[in-house]
Structure formats: C-alpha cells, structure tokens
Amino acid sequence: MRHAIGALGGTFLFLAGGAAAVPESAQPVIACESLVGLRLLMGDGGTDHAAALERLPRHPACHLIARDRIGAAEQRAMIGGAPFECLTVRDEARCAWVMP
C-alpha cells in the first residue's frame, strides 16, 4: 500500500510540475465584456488569478481568451491606483477588459 501511495504521489507531482511548465505566453487570459464585470469577478481577491478562475463560471460576461488573440490597448482606466486595459481581440468587434 505504501508503494501505491508513493507512486500516486509521484504521478501527482509530475502532473503538477507539467502544469507549471506551461509558458506564460501560452496561458489563456481572463477577460470580461465590461470593466464592471471584471471588477465583480475580481471581488476582494485583487489580482489573484487562481481565485478569479474559481469564480469564472458564475460570471457569464467573463471568459478565457487565448493570449495570442490579444492585441493592443483600446481603452485604459485607473481604479484605486491599479491600471486596467480593454485590449483588442482578434476576430471580435469589441475589446475585452483583461485582468491585470
């Protein structure tokens, strides 16, 4: 039994290590249709991406976008000293507010 647990633990560590090895440029971006929607998604968590990902299903105006579809800033705003940008998205008519 001890060997089976050790083997599973090794598999888990291998998978966790593989997830961490994904380059940032390949990770999707959290984006929302409006700045208000993005702020609601962020809640009290600030820029905690893991917490925002957990809340994402409860925010239908927010979704993940492939980073390679993201373009230049179309609009900018400052809230509480934090910068926010609405970035162009390839093949979409509107920009998307991206989590900093």
Side-chain angles (χ1 to χ4, degrees):
M1 181 71 166
R2 178 175 264 172
H3 294 292
I5 292 172
L8 289 175
T11 302
F12 177 72
L13 291 175
F14 173 75
L15 293 174
V22 175
E24 185 176 326
S25 60
Q27 295 176 357
V29 174
I30 298 172
C32 299
E33 294 174 5
S34 70
L35 181 54
V36 171
L38 178 60
R39 295 290 294 158
L40 288 171
L41 172 69
M42 291 172 66
D44 294 332
T47 57
D48 183 355
H49 286 260
L53 282 171
E54 287 180 23
R55 291 190 295 270
L56 194 58
R58 296 188 306 258
H59 295 269
C62 300
H63 53 280
L64 295 174
I65 298 176
R67 191 173 295 271
D68 64 354
R69 293 185 57 216
I70 300 293
E74 190 173 288
Q75 298 176 38
R76 291 189 169 97
M78 291 287 284
I79 299 176
F84 291 89
E85 295 182 321
C86 192
L87 304 177
T88 59
V89 181
R90 186 178 63 232
D91 302 326
E92 292 190 23
R94 297 177 45 182
C95 63
W97 289 94
V98 175
M99 189 168 168

